Amino acid sequence: ATPRRPAPAVRPRRVLVAEDNAVNRRVIATLLEHFELAFDMAGDGAEALAAVSAGGYDLVLMDATMPTLDGLDATRAIRALPAPHGDVRVVGVTARAFPHEIAAFLAAGADDVVTKPLSVAELWRAIAGEAAAV
């Protein structure tokens, strides 16, 4: 069994996962269930934007590459929303670990970025809002 992680300083009450790939959705769902976090799924950036606009989320795990509206454009659109919706914490999730790809996600307004394949420790670090190891 995976060891339990300490609770973040501000534990997310409700997480939105924006991910179009069914396998990745299941992996993320399993990790969030392990962390005992409530979550909803969005199949693309447009669905994620609509869900965040409706309110109730305090963390979005945003895939970079999705149909209709990609993760970077969806993150920019979320940041353009009025408070409190536009202030939701956004963690980018990408398979492209190149520094310029991560920088692009951060420039779009993401608070943090994690790379696939997701590790339990790295995802928890991002959810807890801890600084990345240098």
Side-chain angles (χ1 to χ4, degrees):
T2 305
R4 302 218 26 106
R5 303 282 177 207
V10 178
R11 185 176 180 84
R13 293 177 314 278
R14 196 159 155 227
V15 177
L16 178 66
V17 177
E19 172 64 64
D20 63 314
N21 180 283
V23 172
N24 291 339
R25 287 167 71 115
R26 188 65 222 144
V27 168
I28 293 170
T30 299
L31 292 171
L32 294 177
E33 288 165 357
H34 172 74
F35 297 148
E36 299 177 352
L37 294 172
F39 62 93
D40 295 313
M41 294 282 182
D44 61 43
E47 287 180 22
L49 177 59
V52 171
S53 296
Y57 295 100
D58 46 13
L59 174 67
V60 178
L61 296 177
M62 181 74 72
D63 184 34
T65 307
M66 296 180 287
T68 311
L69 187 64
D70 72 21
L72 276 71
D73 287 337
T75 300
R76 286 185 196 99
I78 287 169
R79 291 297 178 234
L81 294 172
H85 307 300
D87 297 331
V88 66
R89 182 168 164 72
V90 176
V91 174
V93 181
T94 182
R96 299 176 294 211
F98 300 110
H100 69 279
E101 299 283 348
I102 293 170
F105 227 138
L106 295 171
D111 297 290
D112 200 350
V113 180
V114 293
T115 57
K116 298 175 189 174
L118 293 172
S119 77
V120 172
E122 188 67 7
L123 181 60
W124 185 254
R125 181 204 57 76
I127 287 171
E130 298 170 0
V134 183

